[in-house]
Protein backbone atom coordinates (compact mmCIF):
# COMPACT_ATOMS: atom_id res chain seq x y z
CA UNK A 1 0.00 0.00 0.00
CA UNK A 2 2.80 2.40 0.94
CA UNK A 3 4.69 1.56 -2.27
CA UNK A 4 1.54 2.18 -4.29
CA UNK A 5 1.01 5.55 -2.57
CA UNK A 6 4.62 6.55 -3.15
CA UNK A 7 4.31 5.61 -6.81
CA UNK A 8 1.13 7.69 -7.15
CA UNK A 9 2.68 10.73 -5.47
CA UNK A 10 5.77 10.40 -7.66
CA UNK A 11 3.67 10.31 -10.83
CA UNK A 12 1.60 13.28 -9.67
CA UNK A 13 4.81 15.22 -9.07
CA UNK A 14 6.20 14.34 -12.49
CA UNK A 15 2.97 15.17 -14.32
CA UNK A 16 2.58 18.39 -12.33
CA UNK A 17 6.12 19.50 -13.17
CA UNK A 18 5.49 18.74 -16.85
CA UNK A 19 2.32 20.83 -16.87
CA UNK A 20 4.10 23.83 -15.35
CA UNK A 21 7.01 23.40 -17.77
CA UNK A 22 4.66 23.14 -20.74
CA UNK A 23 2.69 26.19 -19.63
CA UNK A 24 5.66 28.51 -19.26
CA UNK A 25 8.14 27.39 -21.94
CA UNK A 26 7.22 29.06 -25.26
CA UNK A 27 5.96 26.77 -28.03
CA UNK A 28 5.99 23.71 -25.76
CA UNK A 29 2.62 23.66 -24.03
CA UNK A 30 0.96 26.15 -26.37
CA UNK A 31 1.67 26.26 -30.10
CA UNK A 32 0.59 29.59 -31.51
CA UNK A 33 -0.37 29.61 -35.20
CA UNK A 34 -2.11 32.99 -35.31
CA UNK A 35 -1.02 35.96 -33.13
CA UNK A 36 -4.53 37.04 -32.12
CA UNK A 37 -6.10 33.62 -31.59
CA UNK A 38 -5.79 30.98 -28.81
CA UNK A 39 -2.83 28.65 -29.21
CA UNK A 40 -3.12 24.92 -29.81
CA UNK A 41 -2.43 23.18 -26.51
CA UNK A 42 -0.29 20.13 -25.80
CA UNK A 43 -0.91 20.23 -22.03
CA UNK A 44 -4.08 18.19 -22.44
CA UNK A 45 -1.84 15.23 -23.37
CA UNK A 46 -0.23 15.27 -19.91
CA UNK A 47 -3.62 15.52 -18.19
CA UNK A 48 -5.02 12.67 -20.30
CA UNK A 49 -2.06 10.42 -19.48
CA UNK A 50 -2.48 11.25 -15.80
CA UNK A 51 -6.10 10.14 -16.05
CA UNK A 52 -5.08 6.91 -17.79
CA UNK A 53 -2.43 5.97 -15.22
CA UNK A 54 -3.96 7.42 -12.05
CA UNK A 55 -7.68 7.14 -12.81
CA UNK A 56 -10.21 9.85 -11.98
CA UNK A 57 -8.47 11.36 -8.90
CA UNK A 58 -5.16 11.74 -10.72
CA UNK A 59 -6.72 13.04 -13.92
CA UNK A 60 -8.89 15.54 -12.04
CA UNK A 61 -5.94 16.74 -9.94
CA UNK A 62 -3.75 17.38 -12.98
CA UNK A 63 -6.68 19.00 -14.78
CA UNK A 64 -7.18 21.28 -11.79
CA UNK A 65 -3.50 22.25 -11.87
CA UNK A 66 -3.74 23.03 -15.59
CA UNK A 67 -6.85 25.12 -14.98
CA UNK A 68 -5.26 27.10 -12.16
CA UNK A 69 -2.15 27.73 -14.27
CA UNK A 70 -4.38 28.86 -17.17
CA UNK A 71 -6.15 31.28 -14.84
CA UNK A 72 -2.88 32.69 -13.52
CA UNK A 73 -1.45 33.08 -17.03
CA UNK A 74 -4.61 34.85 -18.20
CA UNK A 75 -4.02 37.50 -15.54
CA UNK A 76 -0.24 37.71 -15.69
CA UNK A 77 0.77 36.87 -19.27
CA UNK A 78 -2.16 36.50 -21.69
CA UNK A 79 -0.94 35.50 -25.11
CA UNK A 80 -3.92 36.80 -27.07
CA UNK A 81 -7.13 38.83 -26.59
CA UNK A 82 -9.30 35.69 -26.44
CA UNK A 83 -7.26 34.25 -23.56
CA UNK A 84 -7.40 37.59 -21.74
CA UNK A 85 -11.19 37.70 -22.09
CA UNK A 86 -12.21 34.08 -21.51
CA UNK A 87 -9.70 32.50 -19.17
CA UNK A 88 -9.85 35.19 -16.52
CA UNK A 89 -13.19 33.55 -15.73
CA UNK A 90 -12.35 30.80 -13.19
CA UNK A 91 -15.16 28.53 -14.39
CA UNK A 92 -14.04 28.63 -18.03
CA UNK A 93 -10.39 28.30 -17.06
CA UNK A 94 -10.74 25.41 -14.62
CA UNK A 95 -13.87 23.27 -15.18
CA UNK A 96 -13.08 22.06 -18.74
CA UNK A 97 -9.50 21.22 -17.72
CA UNK A 98 -10.60 19.15 -14.73
CA UNK A 99 -13.07 17.22 -16.87
CA UNK A 100 -10.39 16.45 -19.48
CA UNK A 101 -8.67 14.24 -16.90
CA UNK A 102 -11.93 12.81 -15.60
CA UNK A 103 -13.30 11.88 -19.04
CA UNK A 104 -10.00 10.32 -20.16
CA UNK A 105 -9.83 8.31 -16.93
CA UNK A 106 -13.40 7.06 -17.22
CA UNK A 107 -13.05 6.08 -20.89
CA UNK A 108 -9.83 4.14 -20.35
CA UNK A 109 -10.30 2.67 -16.87
CA UNK A 110 -14.05 2.03 -16.75
CA UNK A 111 -15.05 1.05 -20.31
CA UNK A 112 -14.26 -2.65 -20.89
CA UNK A 113 -12.22 -2.31 -17.70
CA UNK A 114 -11.13 -5.96 -17.68
CA UNK A 115 -9.15 -5.46 -20.89
CA UNK A 116 -5.79 -3.90 -20.00
CA UNK A 117 -3.60 -5.28 -22.78
CA UNK A 118 -3.68 -6.00 -26.49
CA UNK A 119 -5.23 -4.18 -29.42
CA UNK A 120 -8.31 -3.09 -27.49
CA UNK A 121 -6.07 -1.20 -25.07
CA UNK A 122 -4.60 0.78 -27.96
CA UNK A 123 -8.12 1.64 -29.14
CA UNK A 124 -9.14 2.62 -25.60
CA UNK A 125 -6.08 4.85 -25.24
CA UNK A 126 -6.82 6.61 -28.53
CA UNK A 127 -10.48 7.00 -27.58
CA UNK A 128 -9.54 8.36 -24.14
CA UNK A 129 -7.25 10.88 -25.82
CA UNK A 130 -9.83 12.02 -28.35
CA UNK A 131 -12.64 12.27 -25.79
CA UNK A 132 -10.42 14.16 -23.35
CA UNK A 133 -9.29 16.65 -25.98
CA UNK A 134 -12.78 17.29 -27.32
CA UNK A 135 -14.15 17.66 -23.78
CA UNK A 136 -11.92 20.67 -23.28
CA UNK A 137 -12.92 22.40 -26.53
CA UNK A 138 -16.62 21.61 -26.20
CA UNK A 139 -16.86 22.85 -22.61
CA UNK A 140 -14.90 26.04 -23.32
CA UNK A 141 -17.36 26.81 -26.13
CA UNK A 142 -20.42 25.91 -24.00
CA UNK A 143 -19.30 27.91 -20.97
CA UNK A 144 -18.28 30.86 -23.12
CA UNK A 145 -21.77 30.86 -24.63
CA UNK A 146 -23.36 30.67 -21.17
CA UNK A 147 -21.31 33.52 -19.75
CA UNK A 148 -21.03 35.76 -22.81
CA UNK A 149 -24.18 35.16 -24.88
CA UNK A 150 -25.64 38.53 -23.93
CA UNK A 151 -22.49 40.36 -24.96
CA UNK A 152 -21.36 38.07 -27.74
CA UNK A 153 -19.79 40.83 -29.81
CA UNK A 154 -17.20 41.37 -27.07
CA UNK A 155 -15.96 37.82 -27.74
CA UNK A 156 -16.25 37.71 -31.53
CA UNK A 157 -17.06 40.90 -33.47
CA UNK A 158 -20.35 40.51 -35.32
CA UNK A 159 -21.56 37.57 -33.23
CA UNK A 160 -24.83 37.65 -31.28
CA UNK A 161 -26.55 35.55 -28.61
CA UNK A 162 -28.12 33.29 -31.21
CA UNK A 163 -25.02 32.34 -33.18
CA UNK A 164 -22.16 32.71 -30.68
CA UNK A 165 -21.89 28.96 -30.11
CA UNK A 166 -21.67 28.20 -33.84
CA UNK A 167 -19.19 31.01 -34.43
CA UNK A 168 -16.96 29.73 -31.63
CA UNK A 169 -17.25 26.14 -32.88
CA UNK A 170 -16.08 27.27 -36.30
CA UNK A 171 -13.31 29.41 -34.87
CA UNK A 172 -12.01 26.64 -32.60
CA UNK A 173 -12.29 23.95 -35.28
CA UNK A 174 -8.58 24.01 -36.10
CA UNK A 175 -7.65 23.76 -32.43
CA UNK A 176 -10.15 20.96 -31.81
CA UNK A 177 -9.00 18.85 -34.75
CA UNK A 178 -5.29 19.38 -34.01
CA UNK A 179 -5.61 18.64 -30.29
CA UNK A 180 -7.78 15.56 -30.84
CA UNK A 181 -5.42 14.23 -33.53
CA UNK A 182 -2.40 14.70 -31.26
CA UNK A 183 -4.20 12.94 -28.41
CA UNK A 184 -5.28 10.05 -30.65
CA UNK A 185 -1.65 9.38 -31.63
CA UNK A 186 0.37 10.37 -28.57
CA UNK A 187 -1.86 8.82 -25.90
CA UNK A 188 -1.48 5.20 -27.12
CA UNK A 189 2.23 5.61 -27.90
CA UNK A 190 3.18 7.01 -24.49
CA UNK A 191 0.33 5.36 -22.63
CA UNK A 192 1.33 1.82 -23.62
CA UNK A 193 4.91 2.39 -22.49
CA UNK A 194 3.90 4.02 -19.20
CA UNK A 195 1.38 1.27 -18.45
CA UNK A 196 4.08 -1.38 -18.90
CA UNK A 197 6.38 0.46 -16.50
CA UNK A 198 3.55 0.90 -14.00
CA UNK A 199 2.64 -2.78 -14.20
CA UNK A 200 6.25 -3.84 -13.58
CA UNK A 201 6.58 -1.53 -10.57
CA UNK A 202 3.39 -2.89 -9.03
CA UNK A 203 4.56 -6.48 -9.61
CA UNK A 204 7.71 -5.93 -7.53
Amino acid sequence: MRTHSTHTITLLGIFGALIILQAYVPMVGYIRLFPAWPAISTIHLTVILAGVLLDVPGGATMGLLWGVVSLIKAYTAPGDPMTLLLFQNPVIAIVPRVLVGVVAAVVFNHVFKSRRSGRLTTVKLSLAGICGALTNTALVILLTWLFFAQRASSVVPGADAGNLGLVLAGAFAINAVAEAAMAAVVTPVLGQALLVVQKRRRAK
Side-chain angles (χ1 to χ4, degrees):
M1 178 66 72
R2 185 171 180 178
T3 302
H4 178 66
S5 298
T6 302
H7 175 64
T8 299
I9 293 170
T10 301
L11 282 178
L12 287 171
I14 292 171
F15 284 131
L18 281 173
I19 288 171
I20 294 171
L21 181 69
Q22 287 174 288
Y24 286 98
V25 176
M27 299 300 287
V28 174
Y30 295 101
I31 301 170
R32 193 167 302 283
L33 299 179
F34 309 107
W37 202 249
I40 294 171
S41 173
T42 63
I43 301 179
H44 67 294
L45 301 173
T46 305
V47 175
I48 289 166
L49 288 170
V52 166
L53 267 69
L54 300 173
D55 211 344
V56 171
T61 301
M62 292 300 98
L64 176 62
L65 176 60
W66 180 21
V68 171
V69 170
S70 297
L71 185 64
I72 293 170
K73 280 181 65 68
Y75 277 98
T76 60
D80 53 79
M82 187 72 75
T83 296
L84 177 65
L85 179 65
L86 301 187
F87 295 108
Q88 286 188 356
N89 181 312
V91 177
I92 298 175
I94 294 174
V95 172
R97 271 65 162 147
V98 171
L99 289 176
V100 168
V102 171
V103 169
V106 169
V107 170
F108 182 75
N109 292 294
H110 301 280
V111 177
F112 300 112
K113 61 188 299 182
S114 62
R115 298 298 298 271
R116 300 281 296 186
S117 60
R119 188 172 298 176
L120 181 58
T121 300
T122 302
V123 174
K124 285 172 62 177
L125 285 166
S126 285
L127 189 59
I130 293 169
C131 291
L134 293 180
T135 293
N136 181 53
T137 305
L139 285 177
V140 167
I141 291 171
L142 175 61
L143 291 172
T144 299
W145 179 79
L146 288 174
F147 280 102
F148 291 95
Q150 300 308 313
R151 46 194 179 104
S153 60
S154 67
V155 180
V156 181
D160 58 39
N163 65 13
L164 178 61
L166 291 175
V167 171
L168 286 171
F172 279 100
I174 294 175
N175 292 50
V177 171
E179 290 171 6
M182 279 193 292
V185 174
V186 174
T187 305
V189 171
L190 294 181
Q192 292 276 24
L194 291 171
L195 285 168
V196 169
V197 173
Q198 185 181 60
K199 185 176 180 180
R200 287 176 179 174
R201 286 183 63 89
R202 288 177 173 175
K204 290 182 180 180

